[in-house]
Amino acid sequence: MNLFQNVTVFLLVLTGLSITGLIYFGFTSSSIRYKDQNFCLKITKENQENSQLQSPQGLSYKQPIVVRQKNITIATTVFALGKYTQFLKVFLESAEQNYFVGFRVHYYVFTDQPELVPEVKMGEEHNLTVLKVPSSNRWQDISLSRMARLEKLIESRLINEADYVFSLDVDSKFYGHWGVETLGRLVGVIHPGYYLTSREYFTYERRPESQAFIPYSEGDYYYGGAVIGGLVKDVYRLAKTCREQLDIDASKSIEAAWQEESHLNKYFLYNKPSKVLSPEYLWQDQIPHKDRVKILRFSQIIKNYADVRPN
């Protein structure tokens, strides 16, 4: 009887241990699988962030396609009135060497002297259209009318003819490559005179009665008005808003400190550019650049303002 009882107890213990072992093994296996899944998910995420990691063997995916040059058109407006027509030749010739080479580019030259627009050999799919506008006795008026003319050009033509638009100052020269790295929804460039300056020293419009007013406690950068760009619809919204604000100021006999550039900075304060270009895309020839920017791409040339401005 004792022997039978001992055998029975032994079998019961063995059965209990077996059941316990199965439960433990099942739990452990699930835990291991869960950890493995987490590990795999972690590796997958890291693979997305680090292209240097090798893909697991047997992973099936489509062959990568080489990205081809985008089939886009870049409209470019240039304002050359009065004696500023003398800068057109250098601007256009240097642009043809550096500016969106290989892409469709259409220059629109606003001038009061169409006969002085030089003949410059254009690259493939590069075109130029001359648009005659009235002369002005004040350079400030030329600056003030820039947004209105840009707005009307987009409404009448560019909305159906271009993907992007840049408005550039004519008294400038291209020194280096300017390409798709500059494209964005809305593009601004940091002014070379203020990129190392605290915002309280920016030459924003400081009078509260002006629509361009920015208080000393606000502001990100001081943007140069010599370069404005982006998608056609976004530049249109910018130009239209600035023109409306300029009209309100004009009705009150107010002229912002730096005309359209002041209103541009006010617009960018509340409508942040999607891309901000460094001063290498808007330098000034009189400022030494070798210790400041590695590559000089676009720069305003040295000139005597008393000789070229009507007032």
Side-chain angles (χ1 to χ4, degrees), residues 204-258:
Y204 290 151
E205 173 55 58
R206 301 300 188 180
R207 293 171 295 174
E209 56 268 28
S210 171
Q211 295 297 308
F213 168 67
I214 298 177
Y216 286 94
S217 60
E218 296 184 32
D220 302 315
Y221 305 105
Y222 188 86
Y223 298 95
V227 176
I228 305 169
L231 289 171
V232 169
K233 64 178 183 179
D234 289 279
V235 176
Y236 174 73
R237 190 177 298 114
L238 179 155
K240 185 174 187 294
T241 301
C242 288
R243 191 267 306 161
E244 291 172 346
Q245 302 303 312
L246 283 160
D247 287 348
I248 293 173
D249 272 8
S251 69
K252 300 177 181 178
S253 299
I254 298 173
E255 186 175 294
W258 290 104

Side-chain angles (χ1 to χ4, degrees), residues 56-309:
Q57 291 185 357
L59 179 64
S60 178
Y61 58 90
K62 293 183 179 180
Q63 179 182 354
I65 299 174
V66 176
V67 178
R68 296 183 179 179
Q69 185 166 283
K70 291 184 177 180
N71 189 24
I72 57 176
T73 298
I74 298 97
T76 303
T77 63
V78 183
F79 294 80
L81 282 78
K83 294 182 178 180
Y84 274 77
T85 54
Q86 66 185 279
F87 302 115
L88 268 172
K89 185 175 178 62
V90 170
F91 176 92
L92 291 171
E93 287 182 342
S94 63
E96 283 304 289
Q97 294 296 318
N98 300 285
Y99 183 71
F100 288 110
V101 176
F103 288 83
R104 288 201 301 266
V105 175
H106 198 142
Y107 302 99
Y108 294 87
V109 178
F110 290 87
T111 182
D112 55 345
Q113 303 172 86
E115 68 278 4
L116 296 182
V117 176
E119 290 188 9
V120 175
K121 184 179 179 181
M122 293 283 146
E124 185 179 357
E125 294 194 281
H126 281 210
N127 299 287
L128 186 148
T129 297
V130 177
L131 302 172
K132 187 174 182 179
V133 294
S135 302
S136 178
N137 295 323
R138 297 176 69 244
W139 68 265
Q140 293 92 338
D141 291 334
I142 298 172
S143 179
L144 289 165
S145 64
R146 184 174 175 179
M147 291 296 185
R149 285 171 176 155
L150 181 57
E151 177 190 4
K152 290 180 180 179
L153 178 64
I154 292 175
E155 284 180 346
S156 62
R157 300 187 62 164
L158 303 189
I159 196 68
N160 297 315
E161 297 179 3
D163 302 289
Y164 295 88
V165 57
F166 279 90
S167 181
L168 306 175
D169 272 9
V170 69
D171 53 335
S172 308
K173 181 180 179 179
F174 290 88
Y175 289 96
H177 170 82
W178 181 310
V180 294
E181 77 281 355
T182 64
L183 296 179
R185 179 185 55 78
L186 191 60
V187 181
V189 61
I190 299 175
H191 195 291
Y194 298 98
Y195 73 103
L196 296 176
T197 306
S198 299
R199 65 185 178 188
E200 59 266 26
Y201 297 107
F202 291 166
T203 54
Y204 290 151
E205 173 55 58
R206 301 300 188 180
R207 293 171 295 174
E209 56 268 28
S210 171
Q211 295 297 308
F213 168 67
I214 298 177
Y216 286 94
S217 60
E218 296 184 32
D220 302 315
Y221 305 105
Y222 188 86
Y223 298 95
V227 176
I228 305 169
L231 289 171
V232 169
K233 64 178 183 179
D234 289 279
V235 176
Y236 174 73
R237 190 177 298 114
L238 179 155
K240 185 174 187 294
T241 301
C242 288
R243 191 267 306 161
E244 291 172 346
Q245 302 303 312
L246 283 160
D247 287 348
I248 293 173
D249 272 8
S251 69
K252 300 177 181 178
S253 299
I254 298 173
E255 186 175 294
W258 290 104
Q259 294 79 43
E260 94 286 357
E261 186 174 82
S262 296
H263 288 272
L264 171 71
N265 274 276
K266 178 62 175 290
Y267 186 86
F268 278 161
L269 178 60
Y270 298 108
N271 303 271
K272 306 298 185 186
S274 62
K275 179 165 290 187
V276 177
L277 301 179
S278 80
E280 69 192 81
Y281 288 92
L282 177 58
W283 201 252
Q284 294 175 346
D285 282 357
Q286 69 268 24
I287 303 176
H289 72 276
K290 291 184 178 180
D291 296 331
R292 303 189 184 188
V293 294
K294 293 182 179 181
I295 301 176
L296 186 62
R297 302 181 188 275
F298 187 64
S299 181
Q300 296 182 305
I301 65 177
I302 298 173
K303 53 197 164 293
N304 184 342
Y305 284 106
D307 290 338
V308 297
R309 287 179 172 176

